[in-house]
Amino acid sequence: MLIGLLGIPAPTTGMTRSMIAFSNGHWIAGILWNPLTAPFLLTLFWTIAELMRNYFRGERMVLSKRCAWSWFGTLLIAWIAKFVTGPDWW
C-alpha cells in the first residue's frame, strides 16, 4: 500500500516471500526479503499468548506496555532495514 501511494515500503513488506525463502532453505534471500521476519513472528506469538492469557483470566484484552513497545521497536527497526536492503528487495 505504501509503495503504491508513496513509493516507500511498509515494515512488513516481503515477509511472505521471506518465509517462503526460509522454508525452501534460501537463507540469504529470506533475510534480504525481510530481515526481521523471525522477530515479527516472535512478537506475534507473544501478542497472541498475552491476549489469550487476558481472555482466559477475564481481564481486559489489552497488551502490556512492554509488548506494545516491542511492536513499535520491531516495526521501526524493520522499516530502517527495508531502506538498507534497497528497493530490489521490496
Side-chain angles (χ1 to χ4, degrees):
M1 179 97 174
L2 283 177
I3 291 176
L5 292 174
L6 303 173
I8 58 174
T12 56
T13 297
M15 277 191 56
T16 301
R17 290 171 285 195
S18 175
M19 291 184 351
I20 291 169
F22 281 132
S23 69
N24 290 323
H26 302 284
W27 300 99
I28 301 298
I31 290 170
L32 289 171
W33 279 119
N34 194 316
L36 272 77
T37 296
F40 271 126
L41 292 175
L42 290 172
T43 306
L44 175 64
F45 292 136
W46 177 16
T47 300
I48 291 168
E50 204 170 276
L51 291 175
M52 286 178 60
R53 183 194 68 214
N54 291 351
Y55 175 78
F56 288 115
R57 288 183 178 176
E59 298 174 0
R60 289 181 45 213
M61 298 288 288
V62 296
L63 295 178
S64 66
K65 287 183 181 182
R66 189 174 181 189
C67 187
W69 277 107
S70 176
W71 272 113
F72 176 76
T74 304
L75 288 166
L76 181 63
I77 293 167
W79 205 22
I80 293 167
K82 290 306 295 179
F83 287 111
V84 170
T85 58
D88 290 340
W89 297 97
W90 296 353

